[in-house]
Amino acid sequence: MRYFLYELFEAQNRDDVVGEALVKVDAQWEENVAAYEHVFTSIHDRLPTSIVQHFSGWGFHDSRIINIEFEQTSFLRLHVHLTISNAAARKKDEKLSRLSFQDVSHFQFQHLNARNDASVLQLEMDDWLYEEFLPIDDNTLSFEVLLSSSANILIHFPNHGVTMTPIE
């Protein structure tokens, strides 16, 4: 993550960061939000309109990834599908979406907080916090998502190579 840094999120939520230190962290967060919004706006034409509209708001904030599926159609063609739950309190109100990336050139999963003894991708603790769409070059974008456990997923894909569909 370039803008929504885990370290800033962690500092904002720690009891020992108070006073001037917290003011400084909050100011850095606001500066990063403004910088990211500028970058995201600059790549709107490289993303489907539905993706721009969805991620111009809260995106999937407070949702949960409940499945990651890899689909390899040939040696050089990999598609990645994230099944996302809105994490509704009542199961009958739950809405699922599928965020799909076509022709993925890079996929990385890491745990940014090695001090955390709990494993990553635990449904009871792994809410979706923030995501970033960033340019890599003229033809490639990156998508990165940060989860509350500090799990981090990074995907590189070609322009317009992402779709979102509701799951009925």
Side-chain angles (χ1 to χ4, degrees):
M1 302 289 279
R2 187 179 305 164
Y3 299 98
F4 300 114
L5 303 173
Y6 184 74
E7 295 80 17
L8 286 176
F9 168 76
E10 186 179 47
Q12 286 179 318
N13 291 285
R14 285 185 21 210
D15 293 336
D16 62 337
V17 179
V18 295
E20 187 61 36
L22 184 57
V23 169
K24 188 175 181 180
V25 166
D26 287 343
Q28 183 64 58
W29 186 264
E30 291 302 318
E31 183 180 317
N32 288 10
V33 167
Y36 174 69
E37 288 174 354
H38 176 74
V39 171
F40 184 61
T41 299
S42 75
I43 61 171
H44 280 184
D45 62 332
R46 297 169 62 180
L47 294 164
T49 302
S50 61
I51 295 293
V52 170
Q53 289 172 343
H54 184 82
F55 287 99
S56 290
W58 281 98
F60 285 111
H61 186 74
D62 286 340
S63 295
R64 295 189 176 143
I65 298 175
I66 59 172
N67 188 35
I68 301 174
E69 179 185 341
F70 299 93
E71 176 188 2
Q72 190 164 3
T73 58
S74 72
F75 183 68
L76 297 176
R77 296 200 62 179
L78 174 68
H79 310 304
V80 176
H81 309 285
L82 306 177
T83 302
I84 302 161
S85 167
N86 68 342
R90 296 190 322 244
K91 191 74 169 170
K92 69 178 185 173
D93 295 333
E94 180 180 49
K95 291 185 172 85
L96 298 176
S97 298
R98 186 174 188 173
L99 191 60
S100 296
F101 298 88
Q102 290 73 44
D103 297 327
V104 170
S105 58
H106 178 79
F107 178 89
Q108 179 179 330
F109 178 86
Q110 62 180 336
H111 194 188
L112 299 175
N113 183 358
R115 299 181 317 268
N116 188 347
D117 291 333
S119 63
V120 295
L121 288 178
Q122 292 186 37
L123 293 182
E124 66 274 7
M125 69 174 289
D126 245 346
D127 290 340
W128 181 299
L129 292 176
Y130 304 102
E131 72 281 326
E132 294 177 356
F133 284 93
L134 299 174
I136 300 293
D137 58 36
D138 289 343
N139 301 309
T140 310
L141 296 169
S142 75
F143 173 80
E144 193 166 4
V145 62
L146 176 64
L147 303 173
S148 59
S149 71
S150 80
N152 177 268
I153 297 169
L154 173 64
I155 300 170
H156 293 182
F157 63 98
N159 292 343
H160 298 283
V162 59
T163 58
M164 185 177 61
T165 54
I167 298 175
E168 300 296 323

mmCIF file of all heavy atoms in Angstrom, residues 14-62:
data_model
loop_
_atom_site.group_PDB
_atom_site.id
_atom_site.type_symbol
_atom_site.label_atom_id
_atom_site.label_comp_id
_atom_site.label_asym_id
_atom_site.label_seq_id
_atom_site.Cartn_x
_atom_site.Cartn_y
_atom_site.Cartn_z
ATOM 1 N N ARG A 14 -4.150 2.660 18.247
ATOM 2 C CA ARG A 14 -3.405 2.251 19.443
ATOM 3 C C ARG A 14 -3.686 3.220 20.581
ATOM 4 O O ARG A 14 -3.764 4.433 20.375
ATOM 5 C CB ARG A 14 -1.905 2.212 19.153
ATOM 6 C CG ARG A 14 -1.516 1.013 18.327
ATOM 7 C CD ARG A 14 -0.039 0.844 18.103
ATOM 8 N NE ARG A 14 0.825 1.533 19.053
ATOM 9 C CZ ARG A 14 2.032 1.994 18.731
ATOM 10 N NH1 ARG A 14 2.506 1.844 17.517
ATOM 11 N NH2 ARG A 14 2.773 2.602 19.639
ATOM 12 N N ASP A 15 -3.801 2.695 21.778
ATOM 13 C CA ASP A 15 -4.080 3.524 22.954
ATOM 14 C C ASP A 15 -2.898 4.397 23.362
ATOM 15 O O ASP A 15 -3.088 5.419 24.020
ATOM 16 C CB ASP A 15 -4.479 2.635 24.141
ATOM 17 C CG ASP A 15 -5.815 1.943 23.919
ATOM 18 O OD1 ASP A 15 -6.635 2.461 23.128
ATOM 19 O OD2 ASP A 15 -6.026 0.878 24.535
ATOM 20 N N ASP A 16 -1.681 4.003 22.987
ATOM 21 C CA ASP A 16 -0.505 4.761 23.420
ATOM 22 C C ASP A 16 -0.122 5.886 22.455
ATOM 23 O O ASP A 16 0.838 6.599 22.699
ATOM 24 C CB ASP A 16 0.682 3.835 23.663
ATOM 25 C CG ASP A 16 1.125 3.091 22.406
ATOM 26 O OD1 ASP A 16 0.309 2.940 21.474
ATOM 27 O OD2 ASP A 16 2.292 2.651 22.373
ATOM 28 N N VAL A 17 -0.864 6.056 21.370
ATOM 29 C CA VAL A 17 -0.626 7.181 20.459
ATOM 30 C C VAL A 17 -1.675 8.240 20.784
ATOM 31 O O VAL A 17 -2.857 8.086 20.459
ATOM 32 C CB VAL A 17 -0.701 6.744 18.982
ATOM 33 C CG1 VAL A 17 -0.473 7.932 18.063
ATOM 34 C CG2 VAL A 17 0.314 5.648 18.697
ATOM 35 N N VAL A 18 -1.240 9.307 21.459
ATOM 36 C CA VAL A 18 -2.165 10.338 21.943
ATOM 37 C C VAL A 18 -1.583 11.724 21.684
ATOM 38 O O VAL A 18 -0.425 11.873 21.291
ATOM 39 C CB VAL A 18 -2.450 10.158 23.459
ATOM 40 C CG1 VAL A 18 -3.174 8.849 23.733
ATOM 41 C CG2 VAL A 18 -1.163 10.229 24.266
ATOM 42 N N GLY A 19 -2.396 12.712 21.921
ATOM 43 C CA GLY A 19 -1.946 14.100 21.853
ATOM 44 C C GLY A 19 -1.389 14.486 20.497
ATOM 45 O O GLY A 19 -1.979 14.199 19.454
ATOM 46 N N GLU A 20 -0.232 15.137 20.529
ATOM 47 C CA GLU A 20 0.407 15.644 19.313
ATOM 48 C C GLU A 20 0.771 14.521 18.351
ATOM 49 O O GLU A 20 0.682 14.688 17.125
ATOM 50 C CB GLU A 20 1.657 16.458 19.677
ATOM 51 C CG GLU A 20 2.296 17.168 18.499
ATOM 52 C CD GLU A 20 1.377 18.178 17.812
ATOM 53 O OE1 GLU A 20 0.583 18.837 18.510
ATOM 54 O OE2 GLU A 20 1.448 18.293 16.571
ATOM 55 N N ALA A 21 1.159 13.375 18.883
ATOM 56 C CA ALA A 21 1.500 12.238 18.016
ATOM 57 C C ALA A 21 0.281 11.787 17.221
ATOM 58 O O ALA A 21 0.381 11.502 16.022
ATOM 59 C CB ALA A 21 2.053 11.080 18.848
ATOM 60 N N LEU A 22 -0.884 11.739 17.861
ATOM 61 C CA LEU A 22 -2.106 11.337 17.165
ATOM 62 C C LEU A 22 -2.524 12.394 16.143
ATOM 63 O O LEU A 22 -2.953 12.051 15.040
ATOM 64 C CB LEU A 22 -3.228 11.077 18.161
ATOM 65 C CG LEU A 22 -4.538 10.566 17.564
ATOM 66 C CD1 LEU A 22 -4.312 9.276 16.777
ATOM 67 C CD2 LEU A 22 -5.576 10.358 18.669
ATOM 68 N N VAL A 23 -2.371 13.648 16.478
ATOM 69 C CA VAL A 23 -2.679 14.738 15.538
ATOM 70 C C VAL A 23 -1.809 14.604 14.293
ATOM 71 O O VAL A 23 -2.286 14.757 13.158
ATOM 72 C CB VAL A 23 -2.498 16.125 16.210
ATOM 73 C CG1 VAL A 23 -2.555 17.245 15.185
ATOM 74 C CG2 VAL A 23 -3.550 16.317 17.292
ATOM 75 N N LYS A 24 -0.540 14.304 14.503
ATOM 76 C CA LYS A 24 0.395 14.143 13.387
ATOM 77 C C LYS A 24 0.004 12.948 12.508
ATOM 78 O O LYS A 24 0.020 13.034 11.280
ATOM 79 C CB LYS A 24 1.821 13.977 13.925
ATOM 80 C CG LYS A 24 2.894 13.991 12.878
ATOM 81 C CD LYS A 24 4.274 13.950 13.523
ATOM 82 C CE LYS A 24 5.342 13.978 12.450
ATOM 83 N NZ LYS A 24 6.687 13.943 13.032
ATOM 84 N N VAL A 25 -0.350 11.829 13.136
ATOM 85 C CA VAL A 25 -0.768 10.637 12.390
ATOM 86 C C VAL A 25 -2.035 10.937 11.590
ATOM 87 O O VAL A 25 -2.142 10.591 10.413
ATOM 88 C CB VAL A 25 -0.984 9.439 13.350
ATOM 89 C CG1 VAL A 25 -1.735 8.307 12.668
ATOM 90 C CG2 VAL A 25 0.348 8.948 13.891
ATOM 91 N N ASP A 26 -3.000 11.596 12.228
ATOM 92 C CA ASP A 26 -4.256 11.928 11.541
ATOM 93 C C ASP A 26 -4.017 12.873 10.361
ATOM 94 O O ASP A 26 -4.631 12.727 9.304
ATOM 95 C CB ASP A 26 -5.256 12.551 12.513
ATOM 96 C CG ASP A 26 -5.842 11.536 13.483
ATOM 97 O OD1 ASP A 26 -5.731 10.315 13.222
ATOM 98 O OD2 ASP A 26 -6.405 11.966 14.513
ATOM 99 N N ALA A 27 -3.122 13.829 10.536
ATOM 100 C CA ALA A 27 -2.804 14.763 9.444
ATOM 101 C C ALA A 27 -2.149 14.021 8.280
ATOM 102 O O ALA A 27 -2.465 14.286 7.115
ATOM 103 C CB ALA A 27 -1.882 15.874 9.949
ATOM 104 N N GLN A 28 -1.255 13.090 8.587
ATOM 105 C CA GLN A 28 -0.617 12.293 7.530
ATOM 106 C C GLN A 28 -1.654 11.454 6.810
ATOM 107 O O GLN A 28 -1.623 11.316 5.590
ATOM 108 C CB GLN A 28 0.478 11.403 8.116
ATOM 109 C CG GLN A 28 1.227 10.599 7.060
ATOM 110 C CD GLN A 28 1.992 11.487 6.090
ATOM 111 O OE1 GLN A 28 2.833 12.267 6.509
ATOM 112 N NE2 GLN A 28 1.689 11.393 4.805
ATOM 113 N N TRP A 29 -2.592 10.874 7.554
ATOM 114 C CA TRP A 29 -3.664 10.069 6.952
ATOM 115 C C TRP A 29 -4.476 10.925 5.978
ATOM 116 O O TRP A 29 -4.741 10.508 4.853
ATOM 117 C CB TRP A 29 -4.563 9.496 8.045
ATOM 118 C CG TRP A 29 -5.578 8.550 7.494
ATOM 119 C CD1 TRP A 29 -6.865 8.839 7.152
ATOM 120 C CD2 TRP A 29 -5.389 7.176 7.179
ATOM 121 N NE1 TRP A 29 -7.490 7.722 6.659
ATOM 122 C CE2 TRP A 29 -6.604 6.688 6.668
ATOM 123 C CE3 TRP A 29 -4.304 6.308 7.288
ATOM 124 C CZ2 TRP A 29 -6.766 5.371 6.260
ATOM 125 C CZ3 TRP A 29 -4.479 4.993 6.892
ATOM 126 C CH2 TRP A 29 -5.687 4.539 6.379
ATOM 127 N N GLU A 30 -4.881 12.109 6.402
ATOM 128 C CA GLU A 30 -5.673 12.994 5.546
ATOM 129 C C GLU A 30 -4.897 13.402 4.292
ATOM 130 O O GLU A 30 -5.457 13.475 3.194
ATOM 131 C CB GLU A 30 -6.135 14.230 6.324
ATOM 132 C CG GLU A 30 -7.159 13.919 7.395
ATOM 133 C CD GLU A 30 -8.411 13.250 6.852
ATOM 134 O OE1 GLU A 30 -8.915 13.658 5.794
ATOM 135 O OE2 GLU A 30 -8.880 12.284 7.503
ATOM 136 N N GLU A 31 -3.614 13.656 4.438
ATOM 137 C CA GLU A 31 -2.764 13.987 3.292
ATOM 138 C C GLU A 31 -2.704 12.811 2.318
ATOM 139 O O GLU A 31 -2.809 12.996 1.097
ATOM 140 C CB GLU A 31 -1.364 14.352 3.781
ATOM 141 C CG GLU A 31 -0.416 14.792 2.693
ATOM 142 C CD GLU A 31 0.962 15.136 3.248
ATOM 143 O OE1 GLU A 31 1.030 15.804 4.299
ATOM 144 O OE2 GLU A 31 1.960 14.730 2.614
ATOM 145 N N ASN A 32 -2.564 11.611 2.848
ATOM 146 C CA ASN A 32 -2.507 10.413 2.006
ATOM 147 C C ASN A 32 -3.833 10.165 1.296
ATOM 148 O O ASN A 32 -3.849 9.761 0.132
ATOM 149 C CB ASN A 32 -2.113 9.194 2.834
ATOM 150 C CG ASN A 32 -0.661 9.211 3.257
ATOM 151 O OD1 ASN A 32 0.036 10.213 3.102
ATOM 152 N ND2 ASN A 32 -0.205 8.118 3.813
ATOM 153 N N VAL A 33 -4.952 10.388 1.988
ATOM 154 C CA VAL A 33 -6.274 10.215 1.357
ATOM 155 C C VAL A 33 -6.409 11.159 0.164
ATOM 156 O O VAL A 33 -6.830 10.748 -0.922
ATOM 157 C CB VAL A 33 -7.415 10.453 2.372
ATOM 158 C CG1 VAL A 33 -8.763 10.578 1.672
ATOM 159 C CG2 VAL A 33 -7.450 9.325 3.403
ATOM 160 N N ALA A 34 -6.053 12.408 0.339
ATOM 161 C CA ALA A 34 -6.145 13.388 -0.751
ATOM 162 C C ALA A 34 -5.235 13.005 -1.913
ATOM 163 O O ALA A 34 -5.628 13.104 -3.082
ATOM 164 C CB ALA A 34 -5.796 14.781 -0.233
ATOM 165 N N ALA A 35 -4.027 12.557 -1.613
ATOM 166 C CA ALA A 35 -3.091 12.152 -2.672
ATOM 167 C C ALA A 35 -3.630 10.936 -3.424
ATOM 168 O O ALA A 35 -3.560 10.879 -4.657
ATOM 169 C CB ALA A 35 -1.714 11.854 -2.081
ATOM 170 N N TYR A 36 -4.181 9.959 -2.700
ATOM 171 C CA TYR A 36 -4.730 8.778 -3.368
ATOM 172 C C TYR A 36 -5.923 9.146 -4.252
ATOM 173 O O TYR A 36 -6.036 8.656 -5.377
ATOM 174 C CB TYR A 36 -5.157 7.692 -2.372
ATOM 175 C CG TYR A 36 -5.848 6.564 -3.095
ATOM 176 C CD1 TYR A 36 -5.122 5.730 -3.947
ATOM 177 C CD2 TYR A 36 -7.217 6.375 -3.007
ATOM 178 C CE1 TYR A 36 -5.752 4.730 -4.668
ATOM 179 C CE2 TYR A 36 -7.852 5.379 -3.721
ATOM 180 C CZ TYR A 36 -7.123 4.556 -4.551
ATOM 181 O OH TYR A 36 -7.740 3.585 -5.291
ATOM 182 N N GLU A 37 -6.804 9.989 -3.762
ATOM 183 C CA GLU A 37 -7.965 10.394 -4.565
ATOM 184 C C GLU A 37 -7.523 11.021 -5.885
ATOM 185 O O GLU A 37 -8.144 10.794 -6.921
ATOM 186 C CB GLU A 37 -8.858 11.339 -3.773
ATOM 187 C CG GLU A 37 -9.621 10.628 -2.676
ATOM 188 C CD GLU A 37 -10.417 11.551 -1.770
ATOM 189 O OE1 GLU A 37 -10.308 12.796 -1.902
ATOM 190 O OE2 GLU A 37 -11.147 11.026 -0.907
ATOM 191 N N HIS A 38 -6.446 11.792 -5.858
ATOM 192 C CA HIS A 38 -5.914 12.392 -7.085
ATOM 193 C C HIS A 38 -5.426 11.308 -8.052
ATOM 194 O O HIS A 38 -5.727 11.343 -9.241
ATOM 195 C CB HIS A 38 -4.778 13.368 -6.740
ATOM 196 C CG HIS A 38 -4.119 13.954 -7.928
ATOM 197 N ND1 HIS A 38 -4.714 14.927 -8.710
ATOM 198 C CD2 HIS A 38 -2.920 13.684 -8.493
ATOM 199 C CE1 HIS A 38 -3.907 15.225 -9.710
ATOM 200 N NE2 HIS A 38 -2.803 14.493 -9.605
ATOM 201 N N VAL A 39 -4.684 10.328 -7.539
ATOM 202 C CA VAL A 39 -4.179 9.239 -8.382
ATOM 203 C C VAL A 39 -5.338 8.401 -8.926
ATOM 204 O O VAL A 39 -5.369 8.069 -10.117
ATOM 205 C CB VAL A 39 -3.174 8.357 -7.604
ATOM 206 C CG1 VAL A 39 -2.818 7.107 -8.389
ATOM 207 C CG2 VAL A 39 -1.921 9.147 -7.281
ATOM 208 N N PHE A 40 -6.293 8.058 -8.074
ATOM 209 C CA PHE A 40 -7.429 7.243 -8.509
ATOM 210 C C PHE A 40 -8.218 7.959 -9.610
ATOM 211 O O PHE A 40 -8.592 7.349 -10.614
ATOM 212 C CB PHE A 40 -8.330 6.902 -7.319
ATOM 213 C CG PHE A 40 -9.471 5.997 -7.661
ATOM 214 C CD1 PHE A 40 -9.243 4.719 -8.159
ATOM 215 C CD2 PHE A 40 -10.780 6.401 -7.477
ATOM 216 C CE1 PHE A 40 -10.296 3.864 -8.471
ATOM 217 C CE2 PHE A 40 -11.838 5.560 -7.783
ATOM 218 C CZ PHE A 40 -11.605 4.291 -8.280
ATOM 219 N N THR A 41 -8.424 9.241 -9.451
ATOM 220 C CA THR A 41 -9.119 10.021 -10.483
ATOM 221 C C THR A 41 -8.352 9.980 -11.806
ATOM 222 O O THR A 41 -8.949 9.904 -12.879
ATOM 223 C CB THR A 41 -9.308 11.480 -10.018
ATOM 224 O OG1 THR A 41 -10.095 11.469 -8.831
ATOM 225 C CG2 THR A 41 -9.993 12.321 -11.075
ATOM 226 N N SER A 42 -7.037 9.989 -11.741
ATOM 227 C CA SER A 42 -6.222 10.012 -12.965
ATOM 228 C C SER A 42 -6.291 8.707 -13.753
ATOM 229 O O SER A 42 -5.926 8.682 -14.931
ATOM 230 C CB SER A 42 -4.760 10.338 -12.624
ATOM 231 O OG SER A 42 -4.112 9.216 -12.050
ATOM 232 N N ILE A 43 -6.764 7.614 -13.140
ATOM 233 C CA ILE A 43 -6.832 6.334 -13.858
ATOM 234 C C ILE A 43 -8.272 5.880 -14.112
ATOM 235 O O ILE A 43 -8.503 4.745 -14.529
ATOM 236 C CB ILE A 43 -6.043 5.212 -13.124
ATOM 237 C CG1 ILE A 43 -6.599 4.961 -11.729
ATOM 238 C CG2 ILE A 43 -4.557 5.537 -13.105
ATOM 239 C CD1 ILE A 43 -6.023 3.736 -11.041
ATOM 240 N N HIS A 44 -9.241 6.739 -13.893
ATOM 241 C CA HIS A 44 -10.646 6.376 -14.121
ATOM 242 C C HIS A 44 -10.879 5.813 -15.517
ATOM 243 O O HIS A 44 -11.660 4.867 -15.676
ATOM 244 C CB HIS A 44 -11.559 7.581 -13.901
ATOM 245 C CG HIS A 44 -11.839 7.840 -12.463
ATOM 246 N ND1 HIS A 44 -12.703 8.836 -12.065
ATOM 247 C CD2 HIS A 44 -11.394 7.266 -11.316
ATOM 248 C CE1 HIS A 44 -12.778 8.854 -10.749
ATOM 249 N NE2 HIS A 44 -11.977 7.916 -10.274
ATOM 250 N N ASP A 45 -10.223 6.371 -16.526
ATOM 251 C CA ASP A 45 -10.445 5.916 -17.909
ATOM 252 C C ASP A 45 -9.819 4.538 -18.173
ATOM 253 O O ASP A 45 -10.063 3.942 -19.221
ATOM 254 C CB ASP A 45 -9.900 6.934 -18.903
ATOM 255 C CG ASP A 45 -8.394 7.153 -18.784
ATOM 256 O OD1 ASP A 45 -7.835 6.976 -17.680
ATOM 257 O OD2 ASP A 45 -7.773 7.499 -19.798
ATOM 258 N N ARG A 46 -9.080 4.001 -17.224
ATOM 259 C CA ARG A 46 -8.434 2.690 -17.390
ATOM 260 C C ARG A 46 -9.179 1.587 -16.642
ATOM 261 O O ARG A 46 -8.736 0.441 -16.607
ATOM 262 C CB ARG A 46 -6.991 2.781 -16.903
ATOM 263 C CG ARG A 46 -6.177 3.775 -17.763
ATOM 264 C CD ARG A 46 -4.831 4.092 -17.177
ATOM 265 N NE ARG A 46 -3.988 2.908 -17.082
ATOM 266 C CZ ARG A 46 -2.744 2.923 -16.598
ATOM 267 N NH1 ARG A 46 -2.207 4.055 -16.179
ATOM 268 N NH2 ARG A 46 -2.045 1.812 -16.538
ATOM 269 N N LEU A 47 -10.312 1.967 -16.041
ATOM 270 C CA LEU A 47 -11.139 1.033 -15.278
ATOM 271 C C LEU A 47 -12.569 1.067 -15.793
ATOM 272 O O LEU A 47 -13.032 2.108 -16.265
ATOM 273 C CB LEU A 47 -11.146 1.431 -13.795
ATOM 274 C CG LEU A 47 -9.831 1.310 -13.039
ATOM 275 C CD1 LEU A 47 -9.882 2.097 -11.733
ATOM 276 C CD2 LEU A 47 -9.528 -0.160 -12.767
ATOM 277 N N PRO A 48 -13.295 -0.051 -15.681
ATOM 278 C CA PRO A 48 -14.711 -0.023 -16.050
ATOM 279 C C PRO A 48 -15.475 0.986 -15.183
ATOM 280 O O PRO A 48 -15.161 1.173 -13.996
ATOM 281 C CB PRO A 48 -15.188 -1.450 -15.775
ATOM 282 C CG PRO A 48 -13.946 -2.285 -15.807
ATOM 283 C CD PRO A 48 -12.853 -1.384 -15.289
ATOM 284 N N THR A 49 -16.487 1.614 -15.753
ATOM 285 C CA THR A 49 -17.272 2.623 -15.046
ATOM 286 C C THR A 49 -17.859 2.089 -13.750
ATOM 287 O O THR A 49 -17.864 2.778 -12.722
ATOM 288 C CB THR A 49 -18.399 3.157 -15.960
ATOM 289 O OG1 THR A 49 -17.793 3.684 -17.144
ATOM 290 C CG2 THR A 49 -19.207 4.235 -15.286
ATOM 291 N N SER A 50 -18.342 0.844 -13.758
ATOM 292 C CA SER A 50 -18.939 0.270 -12.544
ATOM 293 C C SER A 50 -17.918 0.154 -11.416
ATOM 294 O O SER A 50 -18.251 0.331 -10.243
ATOM 295 C CB SER A 50 -19.558 -1.090 -12.839
ATOM 296 O OG SER A 50 -18.565 -1.999 -13.295
ATOM 297 N N ILE A 51 -16.682 -0.133 -11.760
ATOM 298 C CA ILE A 51 -15.616 -0.236 -10.755
ATOM 299 C C ILE A 51 -15.306 1.153 -10.196
ATOM 300 O O ILE A 51 -15.183 1.335 -8.980
ATOM 301 C CB ILE A 51 -14.352 -0.891 -11.355
ATOM 302 C CG1 ILE A 51 -14.633 -2.341 -11.761
ATOM 303 C CG2 ILE A 51 -13.166 -0.795 -10.394
ATOM 304 C CD1 ILE A 51 -14.921 -3.287 -10.613
ATOM 305 N N VAL A 52 -15.200 2.138 -11.070
ATOM 306 C CA VAL A 52 -14.932 3.510 -10.617
ATOM 307 C C VAL A 52 -16.039 3.972 -9.678
ATOM 308 O O VAL A 52 -15.765 4.515 -8.602
ATOM 309 C CB VAL A 52 -14.799 4.471 -11.826
ATOM 310 C CG1 VAL A 52 -14.765 5.919 -11.359
ATOM 311 C CG2 VAL A 52 -13.562 4.133 -12.635
ATOM 312 N N GLN A 53 -17.287 3.723 -10.058
ATOM 313 C CA GLN A 53 -18.405 4.164 -9.221
ATOM 314 C C GLN A 53 -18.384 3.476 -7.860
ATOM 315 O O GLN A 53 -18.551 4.127 -6.826
ATOM 316 C CB GLN A 53 -19.734 3.895 -9.928
ATOM 317 C CG GLN A 53 -19.950 4.810 -11.115
ATOM 318 C CD GLN A 53 -21.164 4.421 -11.942
ATOM 319 O OE1 GLN A 53 -21.692 3.320 -11.851
ATOM 320 N NE2 GLN A 53 -21.610 5.362 -12.769
ATOM 321 N N HIS A 54 -18.157 2.174 -7.846
ATOM 322 C CA HIS A 54 -18.164 1.444 -6.580
ATOM 323 C C HIS A 54 -17.028 1.880 -5.665
ATOM 324 O O HIS A 54 -17.231 2.085 -4.471
ATOM 325 C CB HIS A 54 -18.082 -0.068 -6.831
ATOM 326 C CG HIS A 54 -18.174 -0.866 -5.573
ATOM 327 N ND1 HIS A 54 -19.375 -1.167 -4.988
ATOM 328 C CD2 HIS A 54 -17.218 -1.394 -4.772
ATOM 329 C CE1 HIS A 54 -19.156 -1.857 -3.878
ATOM 330 N NE2 HIS A 54 -17.844 -2.017 -3.730
ATOM 331 N N PHE A 55 -15.854 2.041 -6.220
ATOM 332 C CA PHE A 55 -14.689 2.340 -5.389
ATOM 333 C C PHE A 55 -14.459 3.835 -5.183
ATOM 334 O O PHE A 55 -13.519 4.217 -4.498
ATOM 335 C CB PHE A 55 -13.442 1.651 -5.947
ATOM 336 C CG PHE A 55 -13.466 0.163 -5.717
ATOM 337 C CD1 PHE A 55 -13.850 -0.694 -6.728
ATOM 338 C CD2 PHE A 55 -13.134 -0.374 -4.483
ATOM 339 C CE1 PHE A 55 -13.890 -2.066 -6.526
ATOM 340 C CE2 PHE A 55 -13.174 -1.740 -4.263
ATOM 341 C CZ PHE A 55 -13.558 -2.593 -5.282
ATOM 342 N N SER A 56 -15.317 4.678 -5.728
ATOM 343 C CA SER A 56 -15.244 6.111 -5.436
ATOM 344 C C SER A 56 -15.855 6.410 -4.067
ATOM 345 O O SER A 56 -15.636 7.472 -3.510
ATOM 346 C CB SER A 56 -15.950 6.926 -6.520
ATOM 347 O OG SER A 56 -15.205 6.868 -7.712
ATOM 348 N N GLY A 57 -16.627 5.465 -3.556
ATOM 349 C CA GLY A 57 -17.207 5.602 -2.219
ATOM 350 C C GLY A 57 -16.410 4.777 -1.228
ATOM 351 O O GLY A 57 -15.186 4.792 -1.220
ATOM 352 N N TRP A 58 -17.120 3.982 -0.445
ATOM 353 C CA TRP A 58 -16.487 3.168 0.588
ATOM 354 C C TRP A 58 -15.956 1.855 0.054
ATOM 355 O O TRP A 58 -15.340 1.085 0.787
ATOM 356 C CB TRP A 58 -17.473 2.897 1.730
ATOM 357 C CG TRP A 58 -17.587 4.066 2.646
ATOM 358 C CD1 TRP A 58 -18.562 5.020 2.637
ATOM 359 C CD2 TRP A 58 -16.691 4.432 3.686
ATOM 360 N NE1 TRP A 58 -18.326 5.951 3.602
ATOM 361 C CE2 TRP A 58 -17.179 5.609 4.270
ATOM 362 C CE3 TRP A 58 -15.523 3.876 4.179
ATOM 363 C CZ2 TRP A 58 -16.532 6.241 5.326
ATOM 364 C CZ3 TRP A 58 -14.884 4.506 5.238
ATOM 365 C CH2 TRP A 58 -15.389 5.677 5.792
ATOM 366 N N GLY A 59 -16.194 1.552 -1.209
ATOM 367 C CA GLY A 59 -15.707 0.296 -1.762
ATOM 368 C C GLY A 59 -16.286 -0.875 -1.000
ATOM 369 O O GLY A 59 -17.480 -0.951 -0.777
ATOM 370 N N PHE A 60 -15.441 -1.773 -0.545
ATOM 371 C CA PHE A 60 -15.879 -2.920 0.246
ATOM 372 C C PHE A 60 -15.475 -2.773 1.715
ATOM 373 O O PHE A 60 -15.348 -3.764 2.429
ATOM 374 C CB PHE A 60 -15.302 -4.220 -0.328
ATOM 375 C CG PHE A 60 -15.990 -4.673 -1.582
ATOM 376 C CD1 PHE A 60 -15.335 -4.646 -2.795
ATOM 377 C CD2 PHE A 60 -17.296 -5.135 -1.539
ATOM 378 C CE1 PHE A 60 -15.964 -5.077 -3.953
ATOM 379 C CE2 PHE A 60 -17.944 -5.560 -2.689
ATOM 380 C CZ PHE A 60 -17.275 -5.534 -3.896
ATOM 381 N N HIS A 61 -15.256 -1.531 2.164
ATOM 382 C CA HIS A 61 -14.850 -1.284 3.551
ATOM 383 C C HIS A 61 -15.782 -2.031 4.509
ATOM 384 O O HIS A 61 -16.995 -2.000 4.360
ATOM 385 C CB HIS A 61 -14.873 0.213 3.843
ATOM 386 C CG HIS A 61 -14.334 0.568 5.195
ATOM 387 N ND1 HIS A 61 -12.987 0.523 5.473
ATOM 388 C CD2 HIS A 61 -14.943 0.945 6.324
ATOM 389 C CE1 HIS A 61 -12.799 0.877 6.731
ATOM 390 N NE2 HIS A 61 -13.973 1.132 7.268
ATOM 391 N N ASP A 62 -15.205 -2.727 5.469
ATOM 392 C CA ASP A 62 -15.908 -3.533 6.468
ATOM 393 C C ASP A 62 -16.553 -4.794 5.903
ATOM 394 O O ASP A 62 -17.334 -5.449 6.576
ATOM 395 C CB ASP A 62 -16.957 -2.719 7.239
ATOM 396 C CG ASP A 62 -16.315 -1.770 8.237
ATOM 397 O OD1 ASP A 62 -15.143 -1.997 8.617
ATOM 398 O OD2 ASP A 62 -16.979 -0.804 8.643
#
